[in-house]
Amino acid sequence: MAKRAQGTPATVVLTREKVPFTTHPYEVDPKTPAYGEAVAAALGIDPPRVFKTLVASVDGQLGVGIVPVARSLDLKALAAALGGKKAAMAEPAAAERATGYVTGGISPLGQRSRLPIVLDESAMGHETIFVSAGKRGLQVELSPTDLVNLTGAAVAAIATA
């Protein structure tokens, strides 16, 4: 069940909504190449279960794509999933302002502004997945269905190799 030792807006939301989750602290140098994969290794988790939260600008509006750490965000697919035509990665400062989180620790949960979210469909093939708990060095494990229900996320194929 929930460990509450490390409170963040993301874990506050999970606790308030009574969603089962587990926090997983880790230590990885943020400058490490393939950072997400290093996080998976530090946690001893198969990389396809660890997801990164990326903020993009879709037709001038911010949106979020959540994809496995070993894959890339397909910006065209994200734009299409959000009903737009063109997407580009958001400037880090804009992502931080909108979400209330620091780049490298952006969680899809408990964001300052409720941005539209798309979760890569590969997440649905796992009983649980790992996403940022809202700060560097902390992941939260939860069911992908719970993540979709809490965030109102759409599910689509938005990851590329």
Side-chain angles (χ1 to χ4, degrees), residues 13 21 36 71 75 93 132 148:
V13 167
F21 72 97
R71 299 183 68 198
L75 290 165
S132 176
V148 167

Side-chain angles (χ1 to χ4, degrees), residues 55 62 89-104 106 136:
V55 180
L62 294 180
M89 293 305 298
E91 291 295 322
E96 291 176 353
R97 271 192 311 276
T99 64
Y101 292 118
V102 175
T103 303
I106 294 177
R136 293 180 185 142

Side-chain angles (χ1 to χ4, degrees), residues 33-76:
Y35 178 77
E37 293 174 74
V39 170
L43 293 172
I45 304 300
D46 192 23
R49 290 183 58 210
V50 181
F51 285 72
K52 55 190 172 186
T53 304
L54 302 170
V55 180
S57 174
V58 178
D59 295 343
Q61 301 294 317
L62 294 180
V64 174
I66 306 170
V67 298
V69 296
R71 299 183 68 198
S72 298
L73 176 62
D74 180 335
L75 290 165
K76 279 187 157 186

